[in-house]
Each structure stands twice: as C-alpha cells, then as structure tokens.
Amino acid sequence: MPPLTFSIIRQSTQRTAARRGTLVMTQATSANAHANTNVNINANAATPATTTSESANENRNRNGHDKQLTKRVIETPGCFMHTIKGTVPHLTPDTLRLQGFGGVHVSIEQLLQDHQPGGFDKWPFTLSKFLNLQDMILLCDLRDPSRFVKVPVNSGRHVSIKTHKGIRQLTLEEYLKIIRAYQPDIVSTFADQVTDGVEESTVAATWTTRSGSGSVSDSESEAQGSSPSSGPGLKRVQRSVDRSLKWLDQILLDRQGGDALAQDRALEEAKRRKMKQSSQSAEARKSASLAQDSQQLDLTTGKTTSTTRKSWTGVGVFAHVLGAHVEQERVRSAQETARREAVDGFIVDANPLQGASKETILSLLKVSIEHLPVEKPRMVYGLQTPEDVLRSIALGVDLFDTSYPFHLTEDGKASLYSFGSHKTAASNTGTSFITMSDNNSILGGTTVAPKNRWINLWDDEHADKFIPILEGCECYACKGGRHTRAYINHLLKAHEMLATVLLMSHNMYQYSTFFSNVRQSIQDGTFEQHSAEFTEQFGTEPERTGEIHAAQAIVEAALSKRNRLDGGSNGNNSSSHSEGEEGARSKEEKAEARRKVKEQERRERKERNRMEGLQRKKERQQQQQQMMAKDELEVTMPRES
C-alpha cells in the first residue's frame, strides 16, 4: 500500500481543470481506531480540515506511542504551512493548531548543521517528533520555496544549497542519509534545479510550438547561456532533466531497500582503474571495460549484486518536474517522471522563471501539468498570491505553500480579501465596518475601484481605530473583538512580538478560509464565476519591492542604535542585567550587531573622509586663486611704473 492516498472528490464541470480532493497518510494511522472519522470528509462541507488533536492526545496517553497519532487530512486545493528552520513563523504551538492546514513544509537547507549528516548515527527520533508536529503531514524539500536564491551551478555529483553557514554542496549519498534519519511523511526528490534565472526575451527566443517544432541547435543554446542575463541554454536544461531523472530512479530504488549508489561506485572504480591502467595496452583496457560493464547497476530492473538495505517505504516521494523555459524539455521531464509509477506526487517550481511575465509562467506551468497523471497530486512553488492561486487551480494544481501570509505579516499587513459568496458576517448583514479609504470608493459616482485586499497597520490612520481587523472574522486576533487595529498598531511601533503573532494568526486564517471557499465553489460548480468576481473586486497583488514602511524604518533604526550601544557597553550596567542580556542573545545576533556597528562606522568614516577631501579641495582652490591673483598683480605693476 502506498504511504499516501490522494482521492478526488469533485472534478470541475466548467472549462477549468480544477478539482477537489483529499490527501491522507495511509500507513501512519493504520493502528488508530479514530482514523476513519478523520478520513471521511463531507463533500458538502465548506470548513477547513478538522483537527484531531484531542483524539490524538487520547491515543498517545493510552498507548504511550507517538505513532498512534492521527495525521491531519489535507483537503485540496490546499497548502502546506511555510516554516523557517522547522517552525511556522510567529505562531506558537497553540495558535498553530488553530489553523485549518493539515501539513507543514520544512526546508532541509535551513535545518542542516555542519556536522550532519555524519552526526545522524545517533539521531534518536523522526523529524516530526523533533519539531513536535506529529499530527501534521510533514513535507521535506531541499530548498525554501518562498524565496528564489541563485546558487552555484550543480554538477553530476552534488546540488548546491544555501545554509546558514553559506553555500554547501550536498551529494545524493548525504541526502539519502538525511531522509533515513528524518523519516518525514513526504520527501521531494534530489533535483538539479536551474537557478540561473530567465528573462522574458530568452523565453520568447526559445519558445517552441505545441506541435513540436525543431529544437534549438547546440551553438544557439550555448550562445543563449553565455550571457548572465539571458538565462540557461538548452544543453544546461537538458542536463538538469537527465540528472534529475537519474537521481529519481536512485531514490526510488533506495526506498525499496536497494543499493542506489552501486552504479556511481562502479563508475568511480572504472575511472580509478583507467588511471592506473593508462600505460597498459589497448586490449588490457578493453578487458577492464568489459569487466566494468558487468558490474554496473541495472536501474530499470533494480538488479544489483550488493547487499539489500532497510527500506523506508513509509515515506512518500514527490518528484520535481523540470525543464526551465524550454517547452520540449518540460514535456520530456513530465512524461518521463510520470512513467515512474512509484512516485506519489509532483512538484513544479516556478521560482526559477522569475523575470518572465506571469502569463508566460502560467503557460509553462500548463505545459507541465498537461502531461502529468490526474490521479496524483500536483504541487507548485512560487505562485502564492490569491489570483495566481486561482489561475493555477484552474490548470489542475492541488497544493501550494503558505508563504504569502508570512510576507504580509512581515510587512505589517492584514488580509481583507474574501472569495465567492461566503462573506464575513458584517458583509452578510450589510453592516461592513470598512471605511471609505479602505474600499477606495469613488465619491459622487457609481463606479467603485477594486477593494483593498489588505491594510497596512503601520499606517498612523489605524492608531485610533478601535475595531477588529475584519468584522466577523473568527481568527484568534479578531474573534470577540479582543484585539483592535489601534492595539496592533501600537504593538508594531513598540516592537512587541505579539503584533506579528496576531497578524500571522489573522492572515493564515484568512488564507485558510480562502481555500475553503475555493473548494466549496468547485463543489458547487461556481469556481469560474467566483474567480472572475475576485479579480474584479480585488484586482492584482502589487509587486513586492522589499521596501519597508517609514514607521517601520524608524523603529528598526532605533533598535539598531540600541544594539550598537548595548554591544559597546563596558559593564556600566548592573552585572545581573548584563548577564541576562548576554545569555538571551545568540551568537548570530551578536555577530549581526557587530556587523551593523562596523558597517555604520565604515559609512561614517567614508563620509568624514569625503568631507575632509572636499575641504582640502576647497582650500587648494582658494590657494590657487590667491596665487593667480598675486601673479597678475606682479605682472601689472611693472607696466604701471
């Protein structure tokens, strides 16, 4: 039995490929008597997946084993919660489990320590237990899907990842050790993801017709990849697909208990023998080559002469579908990956396509989705805004990540958007609290501009608004009117971490409600209609530039100044207070504070040198003018005499 079960409850009857389903862990809950109650989903329900923490705690107390915990069910279209170093940002464990999401996404590049995977020999538990997320479906991937970071080019032996200590080259052997130690519920495959980026002009130059026109020549592809701004060439994309398919076969073989690295060891042995036998005759080299061929691993049949290892069949495998901006390579990657029946799901990463237009990205996504089997879940990275999610769902995408609410929270923004006919209580009763500025209404006419999809609580206009973020919202921050906009505005400016806790709780809840309403619209057959209404009401998400609010900049500048003063103190404060502060700070925070101090000193020194240089230049100019005036005086005086 596969470790994951994906069931399609409802297929859209409209022109879209949207569908509603459930993703369930089948093996982790086999011994649980309450598993059936969690799996049976009412097709007409519009609420998020119900939690089973109470029954899970009962089973844990009764049996004393975490394996009896009932995993949550992920209803699709749905999300995996975004994490940073294994923790959902700004959410405490109690507020985390109030959310309607059933899974979490963990990036290995954020967790991996310098001594790992060598230190995994004494790893005593699974990653789910280490993070205290036993009731969640845990997906492990190499990279963070919420941001696109360019890393050095991968090779046939390693993949480059960005850890907290810089770039690290991770081999497949190390990756397999990580999987065996972490034992997540789902793991992504080892993939040669192209991170060179791509420009719109490159996409247009290499775009081929759907009918299968001729491929780009090698010389043209190399020319395309020669410029850093032109994106990867065709050969680079082909190598990435070939390497990823090879690694996929090796991972699937290792999951069944086979020796996935036998072929790599044989190739290394062949190279070593070739170097030793370079002085021998051609016949001797030929016999050595024939002996090598007999030792190679047949990945198609899975035959190997090495000893069988312990399998990890309880872990699902999601395969990356690659191809960058080249259509024929996307088709080949999707078709070849779909042929591996042991694959449990698919991941299409749109992050490397940054630089291309949204229409181009969605067109390339459609090319990949069209060649994937319908009975298995599809996940996409890099498309998190509500309108991008709706367009992706229309193409047949099932899963996303929740980094969009996190980005809003980091900017001090609170969600106001809604989807479909499932409005808040205030909207249903016609007593909406949203002000004229919130709605962007045009006075003196019937035309109304798109509503604000969020508000920025750093704005001073919210300092005296003693109303909830969104009337009728049932999130932890809004329910019962316990926290107001004015209070959160005060918390932000006082740099209290409760502000981000409340904002994250609200934004995550609204994102969960958005997906719940999307699933209900698919069930009702109104998805296409409500998607058009959403775009008309809320427009499109403004591009995130990275600029921060003026009030936020003032607060961060004050904190930076305080950190510099604290870092430069020589024991003037009381010893107990100093020891407490030093103990609270981590090494990374101290290093960051020292770096900021040095950077500020460098800027001040540079400015001082610049001012001194200007002063010296001015003095030299004055001296030159005086000398010229003196010379002119000396020249004119004899003439007068």
Side-chain angles (χ1 to χ4, degrees), residues 586-611:
S586 63
K587 293 182 179 179
E588 291 80 4
E589 291 173 340
K590 293 179 182 178
E592 181 66 16
R594 289 194 297 269
R595 187 193 66 79
K596 289 182 178 180
V597 171
K598 291 182 179 179
E599 181 66 19
Q600 181 65 20
E601 291 176 351
R602 185 189 67 81
R603 288 196 298 265
E604 293 175 354
R605 184 168 58 252
K606 184 177 179 180
E607 180 65 19
R608 186 169 58 252
N609 293 337
R610 187 181 71 85
M611 296 301 296

Side-chain angles (χ1 to χ4, degrees), residues 76-118:
T76 62
C79 284
F80 282 89
M81 283 189 284
H82 170 67
T83 64
I84 296 179
K85 298 183 179 180
T87 302
V88 178
H90 309 306
L91 291 186
T92 57
D94 53 345
T95 56
L96 166 65
R97 286 176 170 80
L98 293 177
Q99 306 300 326
F101 301 102
V104 292
H105 185 289
V106 177
S107 302
I108 292 177
E109 67 179 1
Q110 297 177 349
L111 286 181
L112 205 59
Q113 302 297 317
D114 294 338
H115 65 280
Q116 295 170 343

Side-chain angles (χ1 to χ4, degrees), residues 163 304 540:
T163 67
T304 178
T540 59

